[in-house]
Amino acid sequence: MTLLQVMPEDAPHTVLLRTRDDAEITAALTGCGVRLRHWPVRGTVTAATTGEELLARYRAEVDALCAEEELRLVDVAQLLPEEGPEWAERAAKARGTFLEEHRHAENEVRFFAHGTGCFYLHTDGRVLAVVCEAGDLLSVPAGTRHWFDMGPRPEFSAIRFFEEEDGWVGDFTGDPIAQGFPRLDALLAADR
């Protein structure tokens, strides 16, 4: 189930709202132009699950969304735990890539078919941490300042949608704001 935690941009340890209530989350995100929808989860994902297989499971939804929002390119980003130092190094590098605030020239549209990841949206003097889980489809408007945390032991499979080939390129703001906010693992630990 999706988790939303809202914090002032200048007080990362002050929680203005923390909820798993879908109606509250939708209302808060809609106010920022962000759209959260849910698709049914189809099957389990294992290390043997290919991107092509994942796309085939969701072909009807993918095609409908592409037609509705004029999205031309679709791929799968997947990082599943493995043993060994090579994977740990690859995972740390992947995590670090998106932990800095950036924005994109087009909408960022992601469907989580498996696992968890957190989008931090910096808008209107606040930071909204949206922990997405399997079944969540998040659409972040172009130009929205944000960062993404996949956690210290990443485990997710996400279908990514693009309008253009270079739409995923991040324009990094240089603002160090992301360093002060709780990471994905801290957000989830607060539920325990």
Side-chain angles (χ1 to χ4, degrees), residues 1-6 15-26 28 129 131 191:
M1 178 182 261
T2 315
L3 169 67
L4 172 68
Q5 182 166 305
V6 181
V15 177
L16 301 173
L17 173 67
R18 183 179 171 90
T19 184
R20 287 190 179 270
D21 181 88
D22 196 54
E24 284 184 300
I25 294 169
T26 300
V131 178
D191 278 351

PDB file of all heavy atoms in Angstrom, residues 1-6 15-26 28 129 131 191:
ATOM      1  N   MET A   1       0.846  -1.174   0.000  1.00  0.00           N
ATOM      2  CA  MET A   1       0.000   0.000   0.000  1.00  0.00           C
ATOM      3  C   MET A   1       0.897   1.245   0.000  1.00  0.00           C
ATOM      4  O   MET A   1       1.892   1.308   0.701  1.00  0.00           O
ATOM      5  CB  MET A   1      -0.901  -0.032   1.228  1.00  0.00           C
ATOM      6  CG  MET A   1      -1.789   1.176   1.342  1.00  0.00           C
ATOM      7  SD  MET A   1      -2.794   1.125   2.829  1.00  0.00           S
ATOM      8  CE  MET A   1      -4.291   0.517   2.106  1.00  0.00           C
ATOM      9  N   THR A   2       0.532   2.206  -0.776  1.00  0.00           N
ATOM     10  CA  THR A   2       1.280   3.448  -0.904  1.00  0.00           C
ATOM     11  C   THR A   2       1.365   4.188   0.430  1.00  0.00           C
ATOM     12  O   THR A   2       0.428   4.167   1.219  1.00  0.00           O
ATOM     13  CB  THR A   2       0.571   4.372  -1.930  1.00  0.00           C
ATOM     14  OG1 THR A   2       0.205   3.618  -3.071  1.00  0.00           O
ATOM     15  CG2 THR A   2       1.452   5.534  -2.330  1.00  0.00           C
ATOM     16  N   LEU A   3       2.502   4.857   0.644  1.00  0.00           N
ATOM     17  CA  LEU A   3       2.700   5.688   1.825  1.00  0.00           C
ATOM     18  C   LEU A   3       3.056   7.092   1.366  1.00  0.00           C
ATOM     19  O   LEU A   3       3.857   7.256   0.452  1.00  0.00           O
ATOM     20  CB  LEU A   3       3.843   5.131   2.688  1.00  0.00           C
ATOM     21  CG  LEU A   3       4.349   6.034   3.818  1.00  0.00           C
ATOM     22  CD1 LEU A   3       3.291   6.217   4.897  1.00  0.00           C
ATOM     23  CD2 LEU A   3       5.635   5.464   4.410  1.00  0.00           C
ATOM     24  N   LEU A   4       2.461   8.085   1.998  1.00  0.00           N
ATOM     25  CA  LEU A   4       2.807   9.484   1.732  1.00  0.00           C
ATOM     26  C   LEU A   4       3.209  10.138   3.038  1.00  0.00           C
ATOM     27  O   LEU A   4       2.497  10.034   4.049  1.00  0.00           O
ATOM     28  CB  LEU A   4       1.620  10.243   1.140  1.00  0.00           C
ATOM     29  CG  LEU A   4       1.812  11.765   0.998  1.00  0.00           C
ATOM     30  CD1 LEU A   4       2.866  12.076  -0.065  1.00  0.00           C
ATOM     31  CD2 LEU A   4       0.495  12.446   0.661  1.00  0.00           C
ATOM     32  N   GLN A   5       4.365  10.823   3.017  1.00  0.00           N
ATOM     33  CA  GLN A   5       4.784  11.641   4.148  1.00  0.00           C
ATOM     34  C   GLN A   5       5.135  13.013   3.600  1.00  0.00           C
ATOM     35  O   GLN A   5       5.940  13.134   2.689  1.00  0.00           O
ATOM     36  CB  GLN A   5       5.983  11.027   4.880  1.00  0.00           C
ATOM     37  CG  GLN A   5       6.391  11.857   6.095  1.00  0.00           C
ATOM     38  CD  GLN A   5       7.325  11.104   7.016  1.00  0.00           C
ATOM     39  OE1 GLN A   5       7.008  10.013   7.470  1.00  0.00           O
ATOM     40  NE2 GLN A   5       8.473  11.706   7.297  1.00  0.00           N
ATOM     41  N   VAL A   6       4.507  14.047   4.167  1.00  0.00           N
ATOM     42  CA  VAL A   6       4.724  15.423   3.729  1.00  0.00           C
ATOM     43  C   VAL A   6       5.485  16.172   4.812  1.00  0.00           C
ATOM     44  O   VAL A   6       5.134  16.108   5.992  1.00  0.00           O
ATOM     45  CB  VAL A   6       3.371  16.129   3.443  1.00  0.00           C
ATOM     46  CG1 VAL A   6       3.605  17.562   2.967  1.00  0.00           C
ATOM     47  CG2 VAL A   6       2.547  15.345   2.422  1.00  0.00           C
ATOM     48  N   VAL A  15       6.775  16.320  10.420  1.00  0.00           N
ATOM     49  CA  VAL A  15       5.821  15.603   9.581  1.00  0.00           C
ATOM     50  C   VAL A  15       4.486  16.347   9.587  1.00  0.00           C
ATOM     51  O   VAL A  15       3.839  16.458  10.631  1.00  0.00           O
ATOM     52  CB  VAL A  15       5.647  14.149  10.060  1.00  0.00           C
ATOM     53  CG1 VAL A  15       4.595  13.430   9.219  1.00  0.00           C
ATOM     54  CG2 VAL A  15       6.984  13.416  10.030  1.00  0.00           C
ATOM     55  N   LEU A  16       4.109  16.863   8.434  1.00  0.00           N
ATOM     56  CA  LEU A  16       2.827  17.561   8.294  1.00  0.00           C
ATOM     57  C   LEU A  16       1.689  16.583   8.047  1.00  0.00           C
ATOM     58  O   LEU A  16       0.551  16.806   8.466  1.00  0.00           O
ATOM     59  CB  LEU A  16       2.898  18.568   7.145  1.00  0.00           C
ATOM     60  CG  LEU A  16       3.970  19.650   7.256  1.00  0.00           C
ATOM     61  CD1 LEU A  16       4.036  20.475   5.980  1.00  0.00           C
ATOM     62  CD2 LEU A  16       3.702  20.528   8.471  1.00  0.00           C
ATOM     63  N   LEU A  17       2.009  15.499   7.336  1.00  0.00           N
ATOM     64  CA  LEU A  17       1.022  14.466   7.032  1.00  0.00           C
ATOM     65  C   LEU A  17       1.761  13.160   6.788  1.00  0.00           C
ATOM     66  O   LEU A  17       2.791  13.145   6.105  1.00  0.00           O
ATOM     67  CB  LEU A  17       0.220  14.840   5.769  1.00  0.00           C
ATOM     68  CG  LEU A  17      -0.739  13.776   5.222  1.00  0.00           C
ATOM     69  CD1 LEU A  17      -1.902  13.528   6.192  1.00  0.00           C
ATOM     70  CD2 LEU A  17      -1.275  14.184   3.848  1.00  0.00           C
ATOM     71  N   ARG A  18       1.245  12.099   7.363  1.00  0.00           N
ATOM     72  CA  ARG A  18       1.759  10.749   7.100  1.00  0.00           C
ATOM     73  C   ARG A  18       0.548   9.861   6.986  1.00  0.00           C
ATOM     74  O   ARG A  18      -0.228   9.732   7.938  1.00  0.00           O
ATOM     75  CB  ARG A  18       2.694  10.285   8.205  1.00  0.00           C
ATOM     76  CG  ARG A  18       3.292   8.911   7.929  1.00  0.00           C
ATOM     77  CD  ARG A  18       4.238   8.481   9.044  1.00  0.00           C
ATOM     78  NE  ARG A  18       4.629   7.103   8.867  1.00  0.00           N
ATOM     79  CZ  ARG A  18       5.692   6.701   8.177  1.00  0.00           C
ATOM     80  NH1 ARG A  18       6.478   7.575   7.580  1.00  0.00           N
ATOM     81  NH2 ARG A  18       5.976   5.411   8.077  1.00  0.00           N
ATOM     82  N   THR A  19       0.370   9.226   5.826  1.00  0.00           N
ATOM     83  CA  THR A  19      -0.847   8.453   5.616  1.00  0.00           C
ATOM     84  C   THR A  19      -0.648   7.348   4.588  1.00  0.00           C
ATOM     85  O   THR A  19       0.191   7.459   3.697  1.00  0.00           O
ATOM     86  CB  THR A  19      -2.010   9.371   5.172  1.00  0.00           C
ATOM     87  OG1 THR A  19      -3.209   8.601   5.076  1.00  0.00           O
ATOM     88  CG2 THR A  19      -1.725  10.049   3.840  1.00  0.00           C
ATOM     89  N   ARG A  20      -1.459   6.321   4.743  1.00  0.00           N
ATOM     90  CA  ARG A  20      -1.578   5.264   3.742  1.00  0.00           C
ATOM     91  C   ARG A  20      -2.998   5.259   3.178  1.00  0.00           C
ATOM     92  O   ARG A  20      -3.364   4.358   2.426  1.00  0.00           O
ATOM     93  CB  ARG A  20      -1.230   3.902   4.337  1.00  0.00           C
ATOM     94  CG  ARG A  20       0.270   3.728   4.587  1.00  0.00           C
ATOM     95  CD  ARG A  20       0.598   2.290   4.945  1.00  0.00           C
ATOM     96  NE  ARG A  20       2.019   2.067   5.159  1.00  0.00           N
ATOM     97  CZ  ARG A  20       2.889   1.715   4.215  1.00  0.00           C
ATOM     98  NH1 ARG A  20       2.477   1.557   2.980  1.00  0.00           N
ATOM     99  NH2 ARG A  20       4.155   1.519   4.510  1.00  0.00           N
ATOM    100  N   ASP A  21      -3.773   6.260   3.550  1.00  0.00           N
ATOM    101  CA  ASP A  21      -5.146   6.377   3.069  1.00  0.00           C
ATOM    102  C   ASP A  21      -5.131   6.861   1.623  1.00  0.00           C
ATOM    103  O   ASP A  21      -4.653   7.960   1.328  1.00  0.00           O
ATOM    104  CB  ASP A  21      -5.932   7.349   3.956  1.00  0.00           C
ATOM    105  CG  ASP A  21      -7.368   7.475   3.502  1.00  0.00           C
ATOM    106  OD1 ASP A  21      -8.206   6.677   3.954  1.00  0.00           O
ATOM    107  OD2 ASP A  21      -7.641   8.367   2.669  1.00  0.00           O
ATOM    108  N   ASP A  22      -5.672   6.050   0.717  1.00  0.00           N
ATOM    109  CA  ASP A  22      -5.613   6.352  -0.713  1.00  0.00           C
ATOM    110  C   ASP A  22      -6.278   7.685  -1.057  1.00  0.00           C
ATOM    111  O   ASP A  22      -5.761   8.449  -1.877  1.00  0.00           O
ATOM    112  CB  ASP A  22      -6.242   5.214  -1.525  1.00  0.00           C
ATOM    113  CG  ASP A  22      -5.872   5.290  -2.989  1.00  0.00           C
ATOM    114  OD1 ASP A  22      -4.664   5.341  -3.303  1.00  0.00           O
ATOM    115  OD2 ASP A  22      -6.794   5.303  -3.826  1.00  0.00           O
ATOM    116  N   ALA A  23      -7.401   7.998  -0.437  1.00  0.00           N
ATOM    117  CA  ALA A  23      -8.101   9.254  -0.726  1.00  0.00           C
ATOM    118  C   ALA A  23      -7.270  10.461  -0.289  1.00  0.00           C
ATOM    119  O   ALA A  23      -7.181  11.458  -1.017  1.00  0.00           O
ATOM    120  CB  ALA A  23      -9.475   9.275  -0.040  1.00  0.00           C
ATOM    121  N   GLU A  24      -6.651  10.380   0.887  1.00  0.00           N
ATOM    122  CA  GLU A  24      -5.793  11.477   1.357  1.00  0.00           C
ATOM    123  C   GLU A  24      -4.568  11.650   0.465  1.00  0.00           C
ATOM    124  O   GLU A  24      -4.163  12.767   0.142  1.00  0.00           O
ATOM    125  CB  GLU A  24      -5.325  11.221   2.798  1.00  0.00           C
ATOM    126  CG  GLU A  24      -6.369  11.471   3.853  1.00  0.00           C
ATOM    127  CD  GLU A  24      -5.786  11.288   5.241  1.00  0.00           C
ATOM    128  OE1 GLU A  24      -5.308  10.183   5.562  1.00  0.00           O
ATOM    129  OE2 GLU A  24      -5.806  12.280   6.000  1.00  0.00           O
ATOM    130  N   ILE A  25      -3.976  10.526   0.071  1.00  0.00           N
ATOM    131  CA  ILE A  25      -2.800  10.575  -0.792  1.00  0.00           C
ATOM    132  C   ILE A  25      -3.166  11.190  -2.136  1.00  0.00           C
ATOM    133  O   ILE A  25      -2.482  12.093  -2.633  1.00  0.00           O
ATOM    134  CB  ILE A  25      -2.192   9.167  -0.975  1.00  0.00           C
ATOM    135  CG1 ILE A  25      -1.631   8.658   0.354  1.00  0.00           C
ATOM    136  CG2 ILE A  25      -1.113   9.181  -2.060  1.00  0.00           C
ATOM    137  CD1 ILE A  25      -1.247   7.193   0.340  1.00  0.00           C
ATOM    138  N   THR A  26      -4.248  10.727  -2.718  1.00  0.00           N
ATOM    139  CA  THR A  26      -4.690  11.239  -4.020  1.00  0.00           C
ATOM    140  C   THR A  26      -4.958  12.729  -3.952  1.00  0.00           C
ATOM    141  O   THR A  26      -4.553  13.493  -4.842  1.00  0.00           O
ATOM    142  CB  THR A  26      -5.939  10.476  -4.500  1.00  0.00           C
ATOM    143  OG1 THR A  26      -5.592   9.085  -4.623  1.00  0.00           O
ATOM    144  CG2 THR A  26      -6.443  11.000  -5.827  1.00  0.00           C
ATOM    145  N   ALA A  28      -3.707  14.977  -1.818  1.00  0.00           N
ATOM    146  CA  ALA A  28      -2.454  15.725  -1.638  1.00  0.00           C
ATOM    147  C   ALA A  28      -1.660  15.782  -2.938  1.00  0.00           C
ATOM    148  O   ALA A  28      -1.113  16.833  -3.292  1.00  0.00           O
ATOM    149  CB  ALA A  28      -1.623  15.099  -0.528  1.00  0.00           C
ATOM    150  N   ALA A 129       7.117  12.780   0.206  1.00  0.00           N
ATOM    151  CA  ALA A 129       7.759  11.483  -0.003  1.00  0.00           C
ATOM    152  C   ALA A 129       6.664  10.473  -0.320  1.00  0.00           C
ATOM    153  O   ALA A 129       5.802  10.209   0.514  1.00  0.00           O
ATOM    154  CB  ALA A 129       8.537  11.064   1.233  1.00  0.00           C
ATOM    155  N   VAL A 131       6.065   6.760  -1.192  1.00  0.00           N
ATOM    156  CA  VAL A 131       6.613   5.405  -1.251  1.00  0.00           C
ATOM    157  C   VAL A 131       5.671   4.577  -2.115  1.00  0.00           C
ATOM    158  O   VAL A 131       4.532   4.311  -1.730  1.00  0.00           O
ATOM    159  CB  VAL A 131       6.762   4.788   0.154  1.00  0.00           C
ATOM    160  CG1 VAL A 131       7.289   3.354   0.048  1.00  0.00           C
ATOM    161  CG2 VAL A 131       7.682   5.641   1.018  1.00  0.00           C
ATOM    162  N   ASP A 191       7.121   2.723  10.372  1.00  0.00           N
ATOM    163  CA  ASP A 191       5.879   1.948  10.453  1.00  0.00           C
ATOM    164  C   ASP A 191       5.976   0.758  11.400  1.00  0.00           C
ATOM    165  O   ASP A 191       4.988   0.183  11.790  1.00  0.00           O
ATOM    166  CB  ASP A 191       5.476   1.399   9.078  1.00  0.00           C
ATOM    167  CG  ASP A 191       4.746   2.438   8.243  1.00  0.00           C
ATOM    168  OD1 ASP A 191       4.394   3.506   8.774  1.00  0.00           O
ATOM    169  OD2 ASP A 191       4.515   2.169   7.054  1.00  0.00           O
TER     170      ASP A 191
END
